[in-house]
Amino acid sequence: MVIVKEPPPPKPRKKTSLAPMGGGADIVAASPATELEGVQVTGSRIPRSQIEGPAPITVMTAQEIQANGFTTVPDVLRAMTQNGGETQSQQSASAADFSPGAQQVDLRGLGPNHTLVLVNGRRIADFPMPFKGRSNFTDISNIPLGMVDRIEILTGSASAIYGSDAISGVVNFILKKRADGTTVDFRLGDSTRGGGESFNLSVSSGYGNDRFNAVYGFELQVQNPLWAYERSIQDSTRDAPTASTRAARRAFLRTNWYDEYLDPGAACDPLASLNGGTTYRASRPGWGPDGEDGHYCGSDESIGYGTMINKREGLNAYASLSYAFGDASEWFADLQLGYHELSMYRDVTEWSYQAPDGNEAGYFHNRATDQVEYWQRQFSPEEMGGLDRGMIRNRQRTFSLATGFKGRFGEAWDWEAALSHSQYQSTISWPQIVASRANDLFLGPQLGVDDDGFAIFDADPERLYRPLSRQEYDAIAARSTYRPKSRTDALSLTLTNTELFALPAGAVGFAGTLELGNQSYDLRPDPLATGYHYYSWRDSDGRGSRDRWAAAGELRVPLHERLNLSVAGRYDQYRYGGHDIDKFTYSAGLEWRPIDFLLLRGSYGTAFRAPDLHYVFAGEGNQESSGIDYYRCRSEEPDSDLNDCSYGDEGLVVTRSGNRKLEPETSTSWTAGVVWSPRPNLDFSADYFDIDLSDQVQDLRIDDVLRDEAGCRLGTRADRSAVDAGSPTCADALARVRRTGEGKLYGVYVNPINIARERTSGVDFSTHYRLDTGLGTFRLGASYTWVREHESQQYAGDRVEDQFAVNSGFDIPRTKASASVSWEKERWSATVHGERLGRLPSGDSYNEIYEPDGDARAWIGATYRYNASLRYRFSDHAQLSLAVTNLFDKLPPKDATYSSYPYYDVSWFDAVGRQVFLQYTHKFGGRAL
């Protein structure tokens, strides 16, 4: 939306369009109103008097953020209906492994790396660790919400204006620029089910005289963790949806070569005190010798050792400074500092035999029993010395500075020269088990290798079934510490002229910019982590940088008093790793107002995106994962459900590296819409969008590779459709899967590739209404997004995958909606905010094993969440507010097919439940709140 200069107030001039009082997006009032001063709009560099533009823009102001009950930036963006991609939550295992504490925004579901995040219109440094170990992205979790004046979201291609990152859209956080007096916000929060208490203190102030203006402030955040065991929905394996998945967790397990469980018998008794006294001799049907019950030492409740909400303690500081010289020029500087300490718990540490060469199959020849065996055990909190010792810790330090000069020469030319620098540094440590030390502790020295290639140990099983002392655990435990950092620098010169020359319908506006920039990242991992030192942890290194320069121009042309044309063009060049990538992109938009209260608009743009640095420069590394061996399930147990297949949860090693041969991504995007304001206090808008992305860079999905391998080896897919064994996909999949000589699945090799295509289209709708009555003023704001299609294609010549189809393997909603109703009278105001998340695939459909003839469902139905707030103004300078999120204490929907812990989709749901926040705001001096 717009950046409106607040003081002085605009002078009454003539009819034009205004942003609706309810906030939100799109525009328009037809009544006599006011003409605003020259303003700058996200989506354009040209100051202009009209608020609306050819492309739809959504805005959320600070007042609306508080009224709707949002307490963090991720909460705000999660409510945006255009934010339709699957991202990582605070309890995501992938997030804990790859990007601890960070959170993302994913407009249009094209991936977080395709959404450009700006602060005050400028780029900030990426989170220094890659999203899911793959792509670079911007962390939105530590942007100080208390200092945000408004958030502006432009969806659709904006590359011709902002550069190559803005394929699916732009999120621009506008921080406070003016302050009169000092404002103090104090907020306490708690959940009604217990756990996750929070505290927030925000102070902002300012100073100004005829020449100098300063706004500054800080925000202090304290968030206590919320543990999984504090919610009955996920504190035990007994919460699992099916009988076969309710078995106790395998805390101590011993099997033979045939994966048959070897009964520990009374050996579980000395372990009974572990895991809070919940360890016992458990069984799992069908896993013992000859198909009998398999026995092991397990715990139902050890599954609950994990955080749902991270522990966070942090401080953000911000200052915006300016000094006006006497010659219409001005110096400016925006400074941001952040320091945060985060702690999260993914799971207890564990061990099984890992060979010196990194082989994690775990089998060895046990001379004590004269058979090939597999041993596995987890380490309980009692052995570790408490849960705190198993925390993943992340100390974050962020710094951004933008400074420069701006002014005017001649009668109409404005200029700005700016230098910006942003950096993000972290110190992240993970608890680890040193593989060789643990091997020695449990198995003793290696005695050679047998004829079949198995390492020989003389290991009495009693060495497995015994609690460790704190000293013994410390002797095999360590912390692996990374010190990643990222940086982005830019130098820019911008010229604008709102009256470049005159046409019969009005003046032509122009903006031009030149930019020079450099971007870098360096994972700086623990050197021991890039080898086979730690159990099941061989990470990749990654570092690289790139230079870029760009030249761009934009024109706004009034073709008629009711018809405006906007055109923009940009040339970008990137240089990295011996490669030069350059591209010219352009965009055009039309605004036509046939009558005062009706706007018809449309836009078209091209875009390109250089590959992420980590996609290019990542070194080779391994990660432990699991997958379904579709080939053995389908060939050896064709009548078994995949949930019950003996090969349905096979451990495997995923090897990944970067790809320096990646090509840039390209896209086209267009929108067409209408904004109708039949009354001064009522407006509607509807915009169709279409984004077509080619040569998109993505990592191959492990499940897709395993599924393709099975189909290529068997000649048919699971749905019995034929597979061309000579297709590019088959040749690729067969080369990527590694199996042992006995045919057991061992590993999968993946890397980023340019997939052929991804496309999405749909409609955004919004409405705003204001009603003044004797009972007070009522406001309504609502938005709705319907995605018509979202398709992808891995290789040219492959079939096009419908991401909304049953068994697609994708987890995105077709529809999202949000609405707010507010009331205000004298000292009182209240708001109710609701969100609707459209249906999502069930666990079976996401895992691509749904069978229409079975009893399971293909979909999880739409879900609803509500927030409410109530505010009372004691005076013009003091206010108390009460906000309740998840008003009706809704928990995640039940899905009988979601058999993986925590038994619901953590990308979209959580079990936090209702939260209550009490906030007091006091302003010392200045205007009224």
Side-chain angles (χ1 to χ4, degrees):
M1 193 47 135
V2 297
I3 306 172
V4 181
K5 296 181 180 178
E6 293 180 358
K11 300 177 181 179
R13 296 272 306 262
K14 63 178 183 179
K15 291 184 179 181
T16 185
S17 56
L18 291 178
M21 293 297 293
D26 317 298
I27 343 191
V28 163
S31 62
T34 58
E35 180 178 284
L36 302 179
E37 294 183 57
V39 297
Q40 184 163 308
V41 179
T42 296
S44 172
R45 294 184 184 274
I46 300 175
R48 59 185 185 265
S49 60
Q50 294 179 325
I51 294 178
E52 71 280 0
I57 297 172
T58 300
V59 170
M60 179 73 76
T61 66
Q63 293 79 11
E64 292 169 321
I65 289 170
Q66 181 182 357
N68 289 330
F70 303 129
T71 57
T72 67
V73 167
D75 288 342
V76 179
L77 296 183
R78 195 176 297 117
M80 296 294 183
T81 61
Q82 302 93 335
N83 184 17
E86 177 190 7
T87 55
Q88 297 172 334
S89 71
Q90 294 189 59
Q91 61 177 325
S92 166
S94 176
D97 278 345
F98 298 116
S99 49
Q103 292 183 265
Q104 311 84 23
V105 57
D106 184 2
L107 298 179
R108 303 304 188 201
L110 295 174
N113 56 334
H114 293 97
T115 298
L116 176 60
V117 176
L118 305 173
V119 175
N120 288 339
R122 304 187 192 279
R123 296 167 184 263
I124 57 176
D126 290 331
F127 187 75
M129 297 288 285
F131 177 68
K132 296 185 178 180
R134 304 170 187 173
S135 59
N136 303 104
F137 71 98
T138 302
D139 177 20
I140 61 172
S141 67
N142 62 0
I143 294 176
L145 186 61
M147 301 176 192
V148 171
D149 182 70
R150 64 190 175 279
I151 304 173
E152 306 172 349
I153 297 179
L154 168 68
T155 51
S157 175
S159 287
I161 298 169
Y162 289 108
S164 72
D165 292 0
I167 283 183
S168 58
V170 180
V171 179
N172 191 9
F173 294 89
I174 308 299
L175 305 186
K176 296 175 180 178
K177 286 289 187 181
R178 290 191 176 274
D180 59 326
T182 299
T183 302
V184 178
D185 271 306
F186 177 80
R187 186 181 71 232
L188 291 174
D190 200 359
S191 62
T192 57
R193 292 175 180 263
E197 302 85 2
S198 65
F199 162 84
N200 184 283
L201 173 65
S202 176
V203 178
S204 61
S205 187
Y207 169 80
N209 56 34
D210 292 342
R211 291 181 177 270
F212 181 72
N213 182 71
V215 176
Y216 42 85
F218 70 88
E219 182 178 52
L220 176 66
Q221 298 174 317
V222 177
Q223 172 70 65
N224 289 337
L226 176 62
W227 293 87
Y229 60 73
E230 296 182 276
R231 292 295 181 266
S232 61
I233 190 175
Q234 61 186 82
D235 64 348
S236 166
T237 57
R238 294 186 295 269
D239 301 317
T242 62
S244 62
T245 55
R246 292 188 192 116
R249 200 176 195 200
R250 294 168 290 189
F252 298 81
L253 175 67
R254 179 170 159 253
T255 78
N256 59 24
W257 165 248
Y258 303 102
D259 294 330
E260 296 171 332
Y261 292 4
L262 301 177
D263 192 344
C268 294
D269 294 344
L271 307 172
S273 63
L274 300 182
N275 297 307
T278 65
T279 304
Y280 65 100
R281 178 175 175 265
S283 64
R284 188 178 180 188
W287 285 86
D290 302 320
E292 300 295 326
D293 288 353
H295 290 89
Y296 57 98
C297 303
S299 168
D300 301 317
E301 297 181 16
S302 67
I303 197 77
Y305 299 138
T307 49
M308 298 169 53
I309 296 179
N310 302 332
K311 179 181 179 181
R312 177 187 286 263
E313 296 176 350
L315 177 68
N316 291 300
Y318 169 71
S320 179
L321 313 172
S322 64
Y323 182 84
F325 300 99
D327 57 354
S329 62
E330 178 181 301
W331 168 80
F332 64 89
D334 291 334
L335 175 67
Q336 300 168 64
L337 297 167
Y339 180 86
H340 294 260
E341 292 187 356
L342 291 86
S343 300
M344 63 221 70
Y345 201 102
R346 179 193 171 187
D347 205 348
V348 294
T349 51
E350 59 184 9
W351 167 86
S352 65
Y353 171 62
Q354 177 178 299
D357 64 358
N359 189 310
E360 298 176 30
Y363 297 97
F364 63 93
H365 187 118
N366 192 349
R367 182 175 291 178
T369 59
D370 195 27
Q371 64 179 342
V372 174
E373 294 185 357
Y374 170 86
W375 289 11
Q376 171 194 307
R377 65 111 71 207
Q378 297 176 335
F379 300 100
S380 68
E382 293 85 356
E383 295 171 300
M384 297 169 63
L387 289 175
D388 186 68
R389 299 197 71 225
M391 284 282 198
I392 301 168
R393 306 186 188 281
N394 183 1
R395 187 169 68 246
Q396 303 174 345
R397 297 172 299 278
T398 58
F399 172 74
S400 294
L401 172 66
T403 186
F405 297 89
K406 58 184 177 181
R408 168 167 290 202
F409 64 89
E411 295 185 358
W413 285 97
D414 293 313
W415 61 273
E416 178 190 277
L419 174 66
S420 62
H421 168 79
S422 180
Q423 63 183 40
Y424 198 136
Q425 297 189 44
S426 288
T427 301
I428 310 174
S429 68
W430 290 265
Q432 302 287 7
I433 297 297
V434 179
S436 60
R437 296 178 191 171
N439 290 347
D440 291 342
L441 177 65
F442 294 110
L443 303 178
Q446 183 174 335
L447 304 177
V449 178
D450 70 8
D451 294 339
D452 295 318
F454 292 105
I456 301 173
F457 296 92
D458 188 0
D460 187 337
E462 289 186 3
R463 302 178 70 166
L464 175 67
Y465 297 111
R466 67 181 185 87
L468 296 188
S469 67
R470 172 71 177 273
Q471 291 74 20
E472 288 176 312
Y473 179 79
D474 288 346
I476 64 173
R479 294 194 74 87
S480 181
T481 301
Y482 291 38
R483 292 175 173 82
K485 62 179 181 179
S486 64
R487 173 187 54 79
T488 183
D489 296 310
L491 177 66
S492 64
L493 173 64
T494 302
L495 300 175
T496 61
N497 189 329
T498 58
E499 299 178 354
L500 184 64
F501 58 88
L503 291 177
V508 174
F510 167 79
T513 186
L514 290 173
E515 295 179 4
L516 294 174
N518 177 269
Q519 180 183 9
S520 69
Y521 89 114
D522 189 349
L523 295 186
R524 298 201 293 176
D526 172 1
L528 296 174
T530 59
Y532 297 108
H533 183 73
Y534 301 116
Y535 169 70
S536 192
W537 183 279
R538 178 184 173 240
D539 206 353
S540 63
D541 199 351
R543 66 175 62 87
S545 65
R546 64 187 181 195
D547 297 314
R548 67 178 179 89
W549 74 270
E554 182 183 0
L555 288 172
R556 180 174 171 85
V557 183
L559 303 177
H560 184 270
E561 64 177 3
R562 294 186 177 273
L563 180 64
N564 290 313
L565 169 68
S566 298
V567 294
R570 182 183 179 99
Y571 177 82
D572 288 88
Q573 183 182 73
Y574 288 82
R575 294 182 178 179
Y576 58 91
H579 295 275
D580 287 350
I581 293 178
D582 60 273
K583 189 78 172 178
F584 175 76
T585 56
Y586 62 89
S587 65
L590 278 174
E591 310 159 45
W592 179 39
R593 198 168 276 102
I595 50 180
D596 285 346
F597 52 83
L598 179 65
L599 168 66
L600 303 177
R601 62 186 176 189
S603 66
Y604 178 84
T606 63
F608 96 108
R609 190 172 193 279
D612 282 323
L613 290 173
H614 194 64
Y615 275 141
V616 175
F617 293 109
E620 184 173 287
N622 293 346
Q623 67 184 69
E624 183 184 12
S625 186
S626 62
I628 299 172
D629 189 342
Y630 293 99
Y631 173 69
R632 297 188 72 180
C633 284
R634 290 178 57 193
S635 60
E636 298 180 24
E637 301 179 12
D639 297 326
S640 295
D641 184 275
L642 285 177
N643 284 328
D644 299 321
C645 173
S646 301
Y647 314 105
D649 187 22
E650 296 291 274
L652 55 86
V653 176
V654 179
T655 303
R656 181 191 188 275
S657 64
N659 182 357
R660 299 203 177 197
K661 297 181 179 180
L662 291 171
E663 297 294 325
E665 303 171 336
T666 60
S667 73
T668 60
S669 173
W670 63 273
T671 65
V674 57
V675 183
W676 180 45
S677 184
R679 300 181 61 185
N681 55 352
L682 174 66
D683 67 71
F684 304 91
S685 71
D687 290 275
Y688 184 85
F689 65 88
D690 185 291
I691 302 175
D692 195 345
L693 179 56
S694 299
D695 293 323
Q696 182 183 11
V697 179
Q698 282 188 359
D699 264 20
L700 286 168
R701 295 199 306 169
I702 299 168
D703 193 72
D704 287 348
V705 174
L706 295 176
R707 193 181 303 276
D708 288 340
E709 186 234 9
C712 295
R713 296 183 70 171
L714 297 172
T716 61
R717 299 183 181 88
D719 62 6
R720 299 182 177 84
S721 60
V723 173
D724 179 7
S727 68
T729 294
C730 281
D732 187 71
L734 293 172
R736 291 180 180 276
V737 177
R738 291 173 290 167
R739 294 180 177 273
T740 65
E742 296 79 16
K744 180 178 174 63
L745 183 64
Y746 174 72
V748 176
Y749 176 78
V750 298
N751 66 301
I753 62 169
N754 289 102
I755 70 170
R757 179 172 170 261
E758 184 167 0
R759 181 179 181 180
T760 184
S761 63
V763 175
D764 294 323
F765 172 83
S766 70
T767 184
H768 307 92
Y769 180 58
R770 171 174 174 159
L771 178 64
D772 294 310
T773 72
L775 299 176
T777 298
F778 294 86
R779 293 183 176 91
L780 167 68
S783 59
Y784 178 81
T785 294
W786 171 73
V787 183
R788 175 178 170 269
E789 64 177 357
H790 198 133
E791 299 176 337
S792 57
Q793 183 183 44
Q794 183 167 292
Y795 292 108
D798 288 348
R799 69 174 182 174
V800 176
E801 301 282 351
D802 178 3
Q803 296 193 11
F804 293 122
V806 174
N807 290 334
S808 72
F810 293 91
D811 187 23
I812 55 176
R814 186 184 290 273
T815 60
K816 284 185 72 177
S818 67
S820 296
V821 177
S822 64
W823 163 81
E824 181 179 354
K825 182 176 176 60
E826 297 175 349
R827 296 181 180 271
W828 291 93
S829 60
T831 300
V832 176
H833 169 79
E835 300 172 25
R836 178 187 184 274
L837 179 67
R839 72 179 190 181
L840 292 165
S842 67
D844 273 1
S845 182
Y846 179 70
N847 291 319
E848 302 178 61
I849 58 175
Y850 169 76
E851 297 180 357
D853 298 333
D855 296 330
R857 296 181 301 168
W859 304 101
I860 299 171
T863 54
Y864 299 81
R865 294 290 185 272
Y866 297 92
N867 299 341
S869 68
L870 179 66
R871 296 168 300 283
Y872 178 75
R873 295 176 62 188
F874 297 101
S875 69
D876 288 345
H877 289 71
Q879 175 179 283
L880 183 68
S881 64
L882 176 70
V884 181
T885 63
N886 194 357
L887 181 63
F888 299 108
D889 199 24
K890 292 291 186 180
L891 294 180
K894 294 184 180 298
D895 177 8
T897 69
Y898 210 98
S899 56
S900 299
Y901 183 80
Y903 318 122
Y904 60 83
D905 186 348
V906 297
S907 294
W908 296 103
F909 305 107
D910 62 60
V912 175
R914 184 190 298 113
Q915 292 180 284
V916 180
F917 299 90
L918 186 66
Q919 180 170 343
Y920 178 72
T921 305
H922 196 100
K923 189 173 184 182
F924 299 91
R927 292 175 296 177
L929 285 170

